[in-house]
Amino acid sequence: FNFVKEVGQTFVTASRIYTIKATHPNFGEIIATQTMPQAVPLKETLIRENRSANEFGDLMSQAELTFDDPAGVENFYEVSLISVEITSEGNYVNTLYTSTLDPNLRVGYQGGFLLRDETFDGREYKMLLDFDQYWSDNDERDIQVYAIWRAVTRDYYLYAKSVVDQSDAKDFG
């Protein structure tokens, strides 16, 4: 990223149209317009610890995430899993290594997955995400797992998909 701004609260509103203008003396002006998608909340979240082992014999846990997809609208989503270790020195956030056998989920470029609703429009959808549980059952640390879930625009979905497709291509990977 060339520019990142941290904000304390959400500064965009669903269904509202936003426009960004950029100018440069050598390139002129460019304008981008985007309508923010409606938030689609997770209906149910279930974590199953030590569910299976990966190809290296490491324990994998599973997150089951369920939501109701709004009907008649082309929807796009992004999901990832993080762990937060709470200590007296502060909180440590880690993106969890996640895998899935769900053919609708595509790997995103920031460690998560992308999803579009073309195969389940207007229905309940359940995702199963396996994640590397790097801590043991008898670990004394306070570690919590969170799903980072959001509805994204079609443009964001296509951009994130193209970044991964390019990096996976023969000449770029």
Side-chain angles (χ1 to χ4, degrees):
F1 295 109
N2 293 326
F3 178 77
V4 174
K5 174 153 178 65
E6 290 188 33
V7 293
Q9 61 187 16
T10 302
F11 64 97
V12 296
T13 303
S15 299
R16 188 167 173 195
I17 298 171
Y18 291 86
T19 301
I20 296 175
K21 276 188 201 179
T23 58
H24 187 278
N26 297 338
F27 301 106
E29 181 178 83
I30 188 164
I31 299 171
T33 302
Q34 190 65 252
T35 303
M36 292 295 111
Q38 289 288 333
V40 177
L42 289 173
K43 184 164 86 172
E44 186 177 3
T45 303
L46 177 64
I47 302 291
R48 295 184 189 96
E49 293 186 8
N50 303 323
R51 178 97 171 151
S52 62
N54 66 12
E55 64 271 23
F56 307 109
D58 299 323
L59 288 176
M60 299 291 283
S61 294
Q62 187 176 70
E64 180 180 301
L65 309 172
T66 307
F67 67 98
D68 290 321
D69 181 69
V73 180
E74 187 177 44
N75 295 298
F76 301 89
Y77 306 100
E78 184 178 54
V79 62
S80 61
L81 299 176
I82 63 169
S83 66
V84 178
E85 180 180 352
I86 300 168
T87 71
S88 58
E89 293 86 34
N91 297 341
Y92 298 95
V93 178
N94 293 301
T95 300
L96 294 172
Y97 169 74
T98 309
S99 61
T100 185
L101 296 176
D102 187 331
N104 289 314
L105 289 167
R106 297 186 51 108
V107 174
Y109 75 103
Q110 293 182 321
F113 290 95
L114 300 167
L115 177 67
R116 68 185 301 173
D117 71 345
E118 64 187 341
T119 63
F120 56 88
D121 182 48
R123 297 191 318 249
E124 178 183 275
Y125 195 77
K126 188 175 293 190
M127 298 173 284
L128 300 176
L129 302 171
D130 295 322
F131 63 93
D132 184 7
Q133 183 175 319
Y134 62 87
W135 61 93
S136 65
D137 287 339
N138 57 0
D139 199 321
E140 298 290 324
R141 297 179 290 177
D142 184 5
I143 300 174
Q144 300 170 7
V145 175
Y146 293 93
I148 306 299
W149 167 252
R150 63 187 182 149
V152 297
T153 63
R154 180 178 190 275
D155 288 341
Y156 176 87
Y157 172 88
L158 292 174
Y159 168 74
K161 181 178 155 315
S162 72
V163 169
V164 173
D165 289 347
Q166 179 186 10
S167 69
D168 288 348
K170 179 180 176 187
D171 295 335
F172 294 101

